[in-house]
Amino acid sequence: DVKVTQSSRYLVKRTGEKVFLECVQDMDHENMFWYRQDPGLGLRLIYFSYDVKMKEKGDIPEGYSVSREKKERFSLILESASTNQTSMYLCASSQRTGGQETQYFGPGTRLLVL
Amino acid sequence: GQNIDQPTEMTATEGAIVQINCTYQTSGFNGLFWYQQHAGEAPTFLSYNVLDGLEEKGRFSSFLSRSKGYSYLLLKELQMKDSASYLCACPTSYGNKLVFGAGTILRVKS
C-alpha cells in the first residue's frame, strides 16, 4: 500500500512564526507535491518536486518555500505565517511513468494562523 | 490554460443512481482522474480515463468523451458512506502536475 504521511494533523501558529510542514512517502516516488485546499477553490498547487533537490513553482507559491533533501521527504515552509495562510495543506506523491501518474495523498494538515 | 468545471453540490437518495459531470478545457489531453474525498480526509483515487467510453469498477463507473471535453462519474446503489466530495482532475502538459476542479459535494439522504 502506498503510504504518505504528514507530520501533523492540526497546527496552530501565530502571525509571523516560521512554520514547517513535513511529508514522507514510502513508495520511492520521484514526484512530490504540496497543495492547499480552501472551500470553493478546490486544490491549488503550491510547489512540486520531480527529483531530489529539484523544485518547481506551482500556481500559488508566494509566501511559501520547499525543501527536498531526500527522495522520500518533501517539506513546505512558511517563512512568516500570515492569517491568509490558514488552510488545509495536502501533500501527494506519484511515480514518474510518462503515462498514468496517479497521485497519492497524505491525510492533510489543518493549519490555523492566529 | 486549463479549466475544469463541476457542479458544486448534489443530493441523492440511498439506493439510487447519481451522475456527477465534469467538463474540461485543456491545452493537450493526458487523461482525466476522479478522486473521492470524505470530509476532513485525504482524496483517494477512484478512476483514470484516457480513452473514450465507459469504465466500470464495481458500483462506480467513469465515462469520457474527448471530443466533447466531458466526463462523468456514475455511482450506483448509493450508500450513506458515498457522501463525500468528488474531484475531477486533468494532468497538464507536464504530465505530472494535476489541475483540479473545485469538487462536487454529494449528499446521500435516507
Side-chain angles (χ1 to χ4, degrees):
Chain A
D1 267 1
V2 177
K3 193 158 185 192
V4 181
T5 56
Q6 294 183 227
S7 48
S8 306
R9 290 300 302 270
Y10 301 94
L11 213 49
V12 181
K13 295 291 181 182
R14 297 214 172 268
T15 303
E17 277 192 79
K18 191 168 187 175
V19 182
F20 292 88
L21 302 182
E22 299 232 306
C23 174
V24 178
Q25 50 94 3
D26 66 357
M27 289 307 295
D28 203 36
H29 286 171
E30 289 87 2
N31 303 322
M32 295 189 76
F33 307 84
W34 274 107
Y35 296 89
R36 64 177 283 177
Q37 187 174 31
D38 302 287
L41 296 177
L43 279 99
R44 292 180 293 165
L45 183 64
I46 304 171
Y47 267 96
F48 69 102
S49 168
Y50 52 87
D51 206 344
V52 176
K53 297 193 186 295
M54 305 300 287
K55 59 185 179 184
E56 293 277 346
K57 291 180 180 178
D59 301 315
I60 51 164
E62 296 78 20
Y64 303 94
S65 62
V66 289
S67 172
R68 191 155 180 212
E69 296 297 316
K70 294 185 178 182
K71 191 175 186 180
E72 67 271 18
R73 190 179 297 269
F74 192 35
S75 302
L76 180 70
I77 303 150
L78 288 65
E79 293 289 341
S80 177
S82 63
T83 54
N84 63 11
Q85 291 179 310
T86 290
S87 188
M88 168 74 114
Y89 289 88
L90 287 159
C91 174
S93 72
S94 69
Q95 179 79 23
R96 185 160 65 236
T97 65
Q100 178 182 346
E101 296 187 3
T102 302
Q103 291 188 20
Y104 296 92
F105 286 83
T109 296
R110 197 170 288 279
L111 173 66
L112 173 62
V113 182
L114 300 173
Chain B
Q2 314 226 165
N3 192 44
I4 297 176
D5 287 312
Q6 7 179 177
T8 305
E9 293 185 21
M10 299 181 73
T11 301
T13 305
E14 198 174 11
I17 299 172
V18 72
Q19 177 175 311
I20 302 174
N21 297 326
C22 170
T23 57
Y24 63 88
Q25 293 166 316
T26 59
S27 49
F29 181 74
N30 296 296
L32 186 141
F33 288 87
W34 283 97
Y35 282 82
Q36 180 191 60
Q37 185 179 24
H38 285 101
E41 296 183 13
T44 55
F45 169 74
L46 285 178
S47 67
Y48 172 75
N49 294 66
V50 66
L51 299 176
D52 289 349
L54 186 70
E55 294 213 3
E56 299 188 59
K57 205 186 281 187
R59 293 190 300 114
F60 291 14
S61 303
S62 55
F63 171 84
L64 177 68
S65 168
R66 288 174 296 172
S67 62
K68 295 182 179 174
Y70 167 68
S71 172
Y72 66 72
L73 184 68
L74 193 71
L75 290 74
K76 301 177 190 173
E77 300 168 18
L78 277 175
Q79 301 176 9
M80 299 299 288
K81 68 178 182 180
D82 297 330
S83 292
S85 185
Y86 291 86
L87 312 176
C88 175
C90 288
T92 65
S93 52
Y94 267 107
N96 51 14
K97 284 174 57 177
L98 287 178
V99 174
F100 283 84
T104 299
I105 297 172
L106 173 66
R107 295 190 173 87
V108 180
K109 58 181 185 179
S110 56

